[in-house]
Amino acid sequence: MGAIRFSLFYEHQLPRPWDHGEEARLYQDALDQIEIADRIGFDYVWEVEHHFLEEYSHSSAPEVFLAAASQRTKRIRLGHGIVQLPPEVNHPARVAERIATLDLVSGGRVDFGTGESSSSAELGGFGVRRTAKRAEWQDAIDAITRMFVEEPFAGWDSRHVQMPPRNVVPKPVQKPHPPLWVACSRRETIEFAARNGIGALSFSFVEPEDAGRWVQEYYRIIESDECVPAGFAVNPNVCVVLPMMLHEDEATAIDRGIDGAHFFGFALAHYYGTTPHDPGRTSVWDEFQEHRAARGFDRDQIIANAEALNVNIGSLRGAVGTPEQVVDLIRRYEAVGVDQVSFVVQAGPNRHEHICEALELFGEQVLPRFAEGREEREAAKAARLAPAIEAALARRAPARELPAGYRIDEEAETARARRRRRPRVTPASVRAELRAAGRRRVQQGFYRLVHGRSDAQVERRFGARAQRVFFGGMARAFDPAVAGGFEGDLEFRLTRGDGPATVWTIRIRDGRARAREGGAGAPALTLTAATADFLRVLAGDANPASLLMDGRLRLRGDIELAPRISEMFGGPSPY
Amino acid sequence: MGAIRFSLFYEHQLPRPWDHGEEARLYQDALDQIEIADRIGFDYVWEVEHHFLEEYSHSSAPEVFLAAASQRTKRIRLGHGIVQLPPEVNHPARVAERIATLDLVSGGRVDFGTGESSSSAELGGFGVRRTAKRAEWQDAIDAITRMFVEEPFAGWDSRHVQMPPRNVVPKPVQKPHPPLWVACSRRETIEFAARNGIGALSFSFVEPEDAGRWVQEYYRIIESDECVPAGFAVNPNVCVVLPMMLHEDEATAIDRGIDGAHFFGFALAHYYGTTPHDPGRTSVWDEFQEHRAARGFDRDQIIANAEALNVNIGSLRGAVGTPEQVVDLIRRYEAVGVDQVSFVVQAGPNRHEHICEALELFGEQVLPRFAEGREEREAAKAARLAPAIEAALARRAPARELPAGYRIDEEAETARARRRRRPRVTPASVRAELRAAGRRRVQQGFYRLVHGRSDAQVERRFGARAQRVFFGGMARAFDPAVAGGFEGDLEFRLTRGDGPATVWTIRIRDGRARAREGGAGAPALTLTAATADFLRVLAGDANPASLLMDGRLRLRGDIELAPRISEMFGGPSPY
């Protein structure tokens, strides 16, 4: 039995139409909501850092917003997450400075969430290469945590960051530094979090039972010698994020919260998929209204009293329901060892007064049910993990001592930075970039193929040549790093309204994928769907979980493989 | 008769010894002080952005501190300044985002102060070239103000910043954007502020009578066609910054405030000059204790009842005195048209309770003396300047309209950024850098020549060869951009204890400087001093104003030239 903590999660969503006058209201309302959350006993408030994601997130300077929140609250922890660590977005020293300053003004209440960003709007906007961002994250978090503990910071000279020795001030209140987290969107990144000894903030909207498997794997790694902490402390925690709205009457909760939950999911797919976006002009809200049903966010499929919450991840109902339903859902996450549930209540068109009512109700009827014995269970967990954490910290390269006598030397330092700033181009880096570019071109091709067309039109366009281009491109886009050692045949059976099914096989062997027409002898997984449905899924224009529920997508064989197929072939992922 | 506003100015100073535990106290005390300032009627609080300047400024994330202050205050304006605009420190989009967010949480109370940073600790730390930073400022302020008003921002492709079209959200509350300021440290930068149509934040600690000449020139340019606004609004204001401490008893005011005022001046010279600094180890406080008298900050030279305040800029007494003295000083600034006086009260070892007492006393006895008729005088000023401002705004290149149909394209955008990120190297850029490097080498050479040596030792080392190297280097370091068209001979007569004076002349003609031994026929300025004193001034190891007062440095000819000599030859300047 775990011990569970609760948080609010803010994106500052603002569906169109607007003329920016609404932003002041949005921010002031959020501050009022957080004041309530602090009073009733929420443990954390998280705020994202996103850039240029109009409507989906107007939260581009969370360091400012959370600092304001620090003076309106007394106890609630301030989750600054996720901070985008690629140095093109935020210089590592600026990140260390703002985290430390927020820790100072809040009296040591900061949690430091990290990530790489993953939308084209952000990566293209700041010129961050998708193929480099994971390495940039790893590099930056090492530098930043050293800035917190080294005095002076002994300098940095990596491919991504060059900085001479400096004493980075101020230092955080919490020693050695605020708890670290990383944003995760799939099993691999949760394992990655564990290997780095930091908390996993999961945005996968998984069902409790799936989350349980991830939690087990997470803690197995934390306690193994695979864990080499990225910071100078280990933060063993798994948090799952869910949309939420609460009311005594279930139908009212759905009415008040489901559009927000669905807009959240739709807009996330909009920015993290390959949907075209025309800055300042595309209305995500209008697109949502038009396409929500097709993408698995049909308002009419959400029916009161139908079933337990969040068994149907495709519909993204999350924790929209009555206090009893939400308590039941949280108990299931608690039972599998999830440490924190984070609720997105401010989402889409959700109204401030409904959000405030839901929070008050949560404080009265949900929070008290989880408080009893929590400190004791957390202390027991800490005691159990203590030896493993001590062993893990011994594996981390220690803080450095700069020999005395280093003198600041502007000319030499600037010249050095200038030399290193030229990007290194190697045959491997060129190949990796070509592969990444190829993947996105294939996806964009799908999108153009299916968007705004009828099923019959899509089928007609998907002739022999298009199939070769498509499956060939898919094989070329294969990323062995995500496949996790899988070898075998994936069989695709694409039915048509007016004729025989198209059958293709992708064979994965020795870290490479090859496509050929025809069925497989002993496929590891067979995937059957209408041609148009299948292509819409790959284009991000339809939701696979929703099609599975409707029986329009059928799987045979090792169905655990299914959710990873999209990623293996370069599908979108929010972090 | 002008109308004057008042502000507090924060660096978050923290003299050693410390172990960082004191930083939390420093920040919490500052929030308490600002709450008082807001209640008693101060108009602004300014907070700097400085990096790595241990002891002098632990204010590296003012966006966070000011956001906290926004929720502790109701009326006071939040001066975010100066934000360091070189893109190596802060990406322009991140600056626009944080200014807008601070404007949202504060209900439209932000003033946006800008600068380039100028210390070796910062420029070397972030790899900013001294020769490029002015151009980077001009480029970044243009981009940032466009991000405030363009929707979407139509993109940027300059030598310093590349960014594709994006809608930068959120937008500020104040339209078109918060008032702009730029940090100034000398006459040229005040004129520069006027040409850009933005407020001048002056750190020159000038006497009111000198400030008057600057103000006149500033407003002459604002009303002329030389003014081409950097932003989409003009902010015609001149602010001077002064150390302050207040008490009914003058001796008590001095006792409580003079060490803070002097440490402020000393530490500024430490970081903006060429004093060696060993990060994490050099104790600026210890150096201050040891060298304060030699650098013009002798505690014993400050005597109660000696004279009016701030006639002696070398002593940096500023506004340390009684309410009557400070009212008198402010009247003199008001009389010459200064629009705002900003007080550094938290400085060096000044104590929190003394600062709070001084603020309360200021609110009771100083502020009310300047309130009467202020709104009317400000309205009259606005009306008088309105036509000139309208004309100036018509000269600024307008906001752009991006043609519809731009699609976010991560691959193309990232590839473009990658191509442009390689620095362009031209013969001119190489020459400019060599000149800058030469200047600093010469200064560092001076420092090594004089620091820790007796006058006799310095004289012995300054033989014929050293003189040739020194005056030759000075001539090579000459910067015609700072000379403002001056032509003529500068004569240096350096006396020695044990023999005839050394006489050299530097002749400036056609934008070049040449050094030769011997006197000038008709010098524009003759400067006479003991050899060791003169070299100490140039090394930043002695204060020229203090030597002038003592009669140890004598000037003959056009004495207005004197304060510019150091700059002409590449001397230090804080902004």
Side-chain angles (χ1 to χ4, degrees):
Chain A
M1 182 59 150
I4 210 150
R5 295 278 173 181
F6 298 100
S7 56
L8 286 185
F9 194 90
Y10 279 86
E11 302 267 3
H12 292 331
Q13 298 208 328
L14 193 62
R16 278 191 160 83
W18 35 248
D19 62 7
H20 293 291
E22 300 80 359
E23 285 172 333
R25 186 77 266 139
L26 180 74
Y27 269 75
Q28 296 297 337
D29 286 349
L31 286 171
D32 290 345
Q33 292 158 19
I34 291 166
E35 217 179 292
I36 295 174
D38 181 54
R39 173 168 52 74
I40 65 177
F42 267 87
D43 303 291
Y44 296 77
V45 53
W46 287 97
E47 201 203 345
V48 299
E49 174 187 324
H50 278 311
H51 307 282
F52 324 131
L53 304 190
E54 322 164 60
E55 302 183 68
Y56 177 69
S57 175
H58 289 230
S59 174
S60 56
E63 65 270 35
V64 173
F65 178 78
L66 289 170
S70 77
Q71 305 300 304
R72 301 277 295 266
T73 55
K74 294 194 165 58
R75 203 194 58 87
I76 200 165
R77 293 190 62 84
L78 307 169
H80 191 341
I82 58 94
V83 179
Q84 301 194 357
L85 294 196
E88 294 90 339
V89 186
N90 291 298
H91 191 286
R94 293 291 291 115
V95 176
E97 291 165 342
R98 72 197 213 199
I99 291 288
T101 304
L102 188 59
D103 213 39
L104 287 168
V105 298
S106 69
R109 289 191 274 142
V110 177
D111 272 56
F112 175 20
T114 68
E116 305 157 12
S117 93
S118 194
S119 73
S120 289
E122 290 165 298
L123 297 176
F126 287 103
V128 177
R129 287 176 304 141
R130 204 172 271 275
T131 48
K133 69 196 181 72
R134 170 55 56 90
E136 292 188 10
W137 178 91
Q138 195 87 54
D139 191 47
I141 200 164
D142 192 8
I144 292 166
T145 53
R146 288 177 182 283
M147 289 174 191
F148 289 141
V149 302
E150 291 180 354
E151 190 171 350
F153 172 65
W156 209 248
D157 188 15
S158 72
R159 180 164 174 185
H160 311 289
V161 179
Q162 299 85 43
M163 190 179 137
R166 289 292 187 271
N167 195 11
V168 178
V169 290
K171 300 290 189 210
V173 171
Q174 298 174 87
K175 302 295 175 196
H177 51 66
L180 303 176
W181 299 75
V182 65
C184 302
S185 62
R186 52 190 202 213
R187 211 183 64 190
E188 282 73 17
T189 41
I190 288 188
E191 293 169 6
F192 173 81
R195 284 197 303 276
N196 283 281
I198 63 192
L201 264 173
S202 166
F203 294 86
S204 293
F205 311 116
V206 288
E207 299 176 48
E209 292 63 37
D210 285 333
R213 281 193 293 277
W214 294 6
V215 168
Q216 276 191 335
E217 181 64 6
Y218 176 88
Y219 280 103
R220 185 194 67 72
I221 295 174
I222 286 278
E223 296 187 73
S224 78
D225 59 11
E226 290 175 57
C227 174
V228 181
F232 292 88
V234 170
N235 177 33
N237 274 299
V238 175
C239 171
V240 298
V241 180
L242 294 172
M244 193 261 269
M245 184 56 78
L246 212 60
H247 195 274
E248 300 275 12
D249 172 56
E250 187 184 358
T252 305
I254 293 170
D255 193 52
R256 290 179 170 187
I258 203 66
D259 287 349
H262 281 184
F263 178 78
F264 181 82
F266 181 92
L268 190 147
H270 173 87
Y271 279 114
Y272 291 93
T274 49
T275 321
H277 188 89
D278 191 346
R281 295 200 172 78
T282 298
S283 169
V284 183
W285 179 252
D286 287 349
E287 299 233 331
F288 171 67
Q289 302 277 51
E290 193 176 338
H291 302 293
R292 62 185 290 182
R295 306 238 180 114
F297 300 110
D298 192 344
R299 201 182 206 283
D300 298 334
Q301 78 180 314
I302 310 296
I303 303 159
N305 298 312
E307 54 197 340
L309 294 186
N310 218 40
V311 291
N312 163 11
I313 62 166
S315 71
L316 208 67
R317 174 164 171 182
V320 174
T322 66
E324 278 314 308
Q325 287 176 310
V326 171
V327 165
D328 171 66
L329 177 65
I330 297 168
R331 287 257 180 261
R332 287 158 57 215
Y333 282 111
E334 189 182 46
V336 300
V338 165
D339 301 290
Q340 185 177 149
V341 179
S342 192
F343 295 109
V344 181
V345 194
Q346 195 286 317
N350 290 359
R351 290 171 57 183
H352 174 58
E353 56 272 30
H354 295 163
I355 294 167
C356 293
E357 272 181 49
L359 293 179
E360 296 283 3
L361 192 57
F362 197 91
E364 285 159 25
Q365 303 202 14
V366 181
L367 278 175
R369 309 275 284 274
F370 296 90
E372 203 190 308
R374 183 162 56 183
E375 265 81 19
E376 292 77 2
R377 292 197 301 279
E378 285 176 344
K381 172 186 160 188
R384 176 170 59 80
L385 293 179
I389 288 176
E390 194 187 330
L393 286 172
R395 286 188 286 272
R396 197 243 190 272
R400 303 160 299 172
E401 281 279 341
L402 182 72
Y406 182 87
R407 291 288 166 82
I408 288 176
D409 181 343
E410 178 188 335
E411 261 69 44
E413 291 167 347
T414 307
R416 203 154 49 229
R418 209 164 140 72
R419 274 197 302 278
R420 297 303 306 273
R421 213 171 280 149
R422 297 172 206 200
R424 275 188 227 150
V425 178
T426 65
S429 75
V430 169
R431 275 198 304 274
E433 282 187 57
L434 286 174
R435 195 165 61 224
R439 253 182 244 146
R440 294 190 74 78
R441 265 200 304 277
V442 168
Q443 284 161 12
Q444 284 159 358
F446 295 163
Y447 192 89
R448 279 193 295 270
L449 191 70
V450 301
H451 190 68
R453 297 186 202 281
S454 70
D455 287 4
Q457 284 175 318
V458 171
E459 285 181 10
R460 267 201 302 283
R461 296 170 67 93
F462 197 59
R465 173 195 292 226
Q467 290 167 30
R468 266 199 308 280
V469 169
F470 163 69
F471 285 105
M474 198 164 157
R476 276 193 299 280
F478 173 71
D479 183 353
V482 182
F486 167 76
E487 301 218 324
D489 291 350
L490 303 174
E491 188 183 68
F492 299 88
R493 306 189 73 86
L494 309 185
T495 61
R496 288 169 181 266
D498 61 354
T502 304
V503 182
W504 278 75
T505 296
I506 292 188
R507 169 163 297 179
I508 295 167
R509 190 154 301 165
D510 302 329
R512 292 193 54 189
R514 279 199 185 78
R516 61 178 178 72
E517 202 171 355
L525 179 73
T526 299
L527 197 148
T528 307
T531 302
D533 283 343
F534 178 70
L535 292 173
R536 283 191 213 286
V537 166
L538 284 154
D541 208 32
N543 186 312
S546 171
L547 294 179
L548 264 172
M549 275 171 43
D550 293 351
R552 290 161 69 191
L553 174 65
R554 293 188 303 281
L555 301 171
R556 205 173 57 222
D558 178 5
I559 59 169
E560 291 238 332
L561 269 175
R564 299 165 66 191
I565 289 178
S566 164
E567 292 162 23
M568 278 191 211
F569 299 100
S573 141
Y575 289 99
Chain B
M1 182 60 150
I4 210 150
R5 295 277 173 184
F6 298 100
S7 55
L8 286 185
F9 194 90
Y10 279 87
E11 302 267 3
H12 292 332
Q13 299 208 326
L14 193 61
R16 277 191 162 82
W18 36 248
D19 62 8
H20 293 292
E22 301 79 0
E23 286 173 332
R25 185 76 267 138
L26 179 74
Y27 270 74
Q28 297 297 337
D29 286 349
L31 287 171
D32 290 344
Q33 292 158 19
I34 291 166
E35 220 179 288
I36 295 175
D38 182 54
R39 172 169 51 74
I40 65 177
F42 267 87
D43 302 291
Y44 296 77
V45 52
W46 288 96
E47 200 204 346
V48 299
E49 174 189 325
H50 278 311
H51 307 283
F52 323 131
L53 305 189
E54 321 165 60
E55 303 183 67
Y56 177 70
S57 175
H58 289 229
S59 175
S60 56
E63 64 271 36
V64 172
F65 178 78
L66 289 170
S70 77
Q71 304 300 303
R72 300 277 296 266
T73 54
K74 294 195 167 58
R75 203 194 59 85
I76 202 165
R77 293 190 62 83
L78 306 169
H80 191 340
I82 59 99
V83 179
Q84 301 193 358
L85 294 197
E88 293 91 341
V89 186
N90 291 298
H91 190 287
R94 293 292 291 112
V95 176
E97 291 166 342
R98 72 195 214 201
I99 291 287
T101 304
L102 188 60
D103 213 37
L104 286 168
V105 299
S106 69
R109 289 192 273 143
V110 177
D111 272 55
F112 176 18
T114 68
E116 305 158 12
S117 92
S118 195
S119 73
S120 288
E122 289 165 299
L123 297 176
F126 287 103
V128 177
R129 286 176 303 140
R130 204 171 272 274
T131 47
K133 69 194 182 76
R134 170 55 55 90
E136 292 189 11
W137 178 92
Q138 194 87 52
D139 191 48
I141 201 163
D142 193 8
I144 292 166
T145 54
R146 288 176 183 283
M147 290 174 191
F148 290 140
V149 302
E150 292 180 352
E151 190 171 350
F153 172 65
W156 209 250
D157 188 15
S158 72
R159 179 164 175 184
H160 311 289
V161 179
Q162 300 84 44
M163 188 178 139
R166 289 292 187 271
N167 195 10
V168 179
V169 290
K171 300 290 188 209
V173 172
Q174 297 174 87
K175 301 297 176 195
H177 52 66
L180 303 177
W181 299 75
V182 65
C184 303
S185 62
R186 49 190 205 217
R187 210 183 66 190
E188 282 74 16
T189 42
I190 288 187
E191 292 169 6
F192 172 81
R195 284 197 303 276
N196 282 282
I198 63 191
L201 264 173
S202 166
F203 293 86
S204 293
F205 312 115
V206 287
E207 297 177 48
E209 293 61 37
D210 284 332
R213 281 193 292 276
W214 293 9
V215 168
Q216 276 192 336
E217 181 64 4
Y218 175 89
Y219 280 103
R220 184 195 66 72
I221 295 174
I222 286 277
E223 295 188 74
S224 78
D225 59 10
E226 289 174 56
C227 173
V228 181
F232 292 90
V234 170
N235 178 31
N237 275 298
V238 175
C239 171
V240 298
V241 179
L242 293 174
M244 192 261 272
M245 183 56 77
L246 211 60
H247 195 275
E248 300 276 12
D249 172 55
E250 187 184 357
T252 306
I254 292 171
D255 193 53
R256 290 178 170 188
I258 204 66
D259 287 349
H262 281 184
F263 179 76
F264 182 82
F266 181 93
L268 190 147
H270 173 86
Y271 278 114
Y272 291 93
T274 48
T275 321
H277 188 88
D278 191 347
R281 295 201 172 76
T282 298
S283 168
V284 183
W285 178 253
D286 287 349
E287 300 233 331
F288 171 66
Q289 301 277 53
E290 192 175 339
H291 301 294
R292 63 185 291 181
R295 306 241 178 111
F297 299 111
D298 192 344
R299 201 182 205 285
D300 298 334
Q301 79 180 315
I302 309 296
I303 303 157
N305 298 312
E307 54 197 341
L309 296 185
N310 220 40
V311 290
N312 163 12
I313 62 166
S315 71
L316 207 68
R317 173 164 173 183
V320 174
T322 67
E324 278 313 308
Q325 286 176 308
V326 171
V327 165
D328 170 65
L329 177 65
I330 296 168
R331 286 257 179 260
R332 287 157 57 213
Y333 282 111
E334 189 183 47
V336 299
V338 165
D339 300 290
Q340 184 177 148
V341 179
S342 192
F343 295 109
V344 180
V345 193
Q346 195 286 315
N350 290 359
R351 291 172 57 185
H352 174 58
E353 58 271 30
H354 295 164
I355 295 168
C356 293
E357 272 182 51
L359 293 178
E360 297 283 4
L361 192 57
F362 196 90
E364 286 160 26
Q365 302 203 15
V366 182
L367 278 175
R369 309 274 284 273
F370 295 90
E372 202 188 307
R374 183 162 56 180
E375 265 80 19
E376 293 75 3
R377 291 197 301 277
E378 285 176 345
K381 171 185 160 188
R384 175 170 60 80
L385 293 178
I389 288 176
E390 195 185 328
L393 287 171
R395 286 187 286 270
R396 196 243 191 272
R400 302 159 302 171
E401 280 279 339
L402 182 73
Y406 181 87
R407 291 290 165 81
I408 288 177
D409 183 343
E410 178 188 334
E411 260 69 43
E413 291 168 348
T414 307
R416 203 155 47 232
R418 208 163 141 71
R419 274 197 303 278
R420 297 304 305 273
R421 212 170 283 150
R422 295 173 206 199
R424 274 189 228 150
V425 177
T426 64
S429 74
V430 170
R431 275 198 303 272
E433 283 187 55
L434 286 174
R435 196 165 58 225
R439 254 182 244 145
R440 293 190 76 78
R441 266 201 305 275
V442 168
Q443 284 161 12
Q444 284 159 358
F446 295 163
Y447 192 88
R448 279 192 296 269
L449 191 70
V450 301
H451 190 67
R453 297 187 201 281
S454 71
D455 286 4
Q457 283 175 318
V458 172
E459 284 181 11
R460 267 199 303 281
R461 295 168 69 92
F462 197 60
R465 175 195 291 225
Q467 291 167 28
R468 266 199 308 281
V469 170
F470 164 69
F471 283 106
M474 197 164 159
R476 277 193 300 281
F478 173 72
D479 184 353
V482 182
F486 167 77
E487 301 217 325
D489 292 349
L490 304 175
E491 188 182 66
F492 298 87
R493 306 189 74 84
L494 309 187
T495 60
R496 289 173 181 259
D498 60 354
T502 303
V503 183
W504 278 75
T505 296
I506 292 188
R507 169 163 296 180
I508 295 167
R509 191 153 300 163
D510 302 330
R512 293 192 56 191
R514 279 201 185 76
R516 60 175 180 75
E517 201 172 355
L525 179 72
T526 299
L527 197 148
T528 307
T531 302
D533 283 344
F534 178 69
L535 292 173
R536 284 191 212 285
V537 166
L538 283 154
D541 209 33
N543 187 315
S546 170
L547 295 180
L548 264 172
M549 274 172 42
D550 294 351
R552 290 162 67 190
L553 174 64
R554 294 187 302 282
L555 301 172
R556 204 175 55 224
D558 179 5
I559 60 168
E560 291 239 331
L561 270 176
R564 297 165 69 192
I565 288 179
S566 164
E567 294 161 23
M568 279 191 211
F569 298 100
S573 140
Y575 288 98

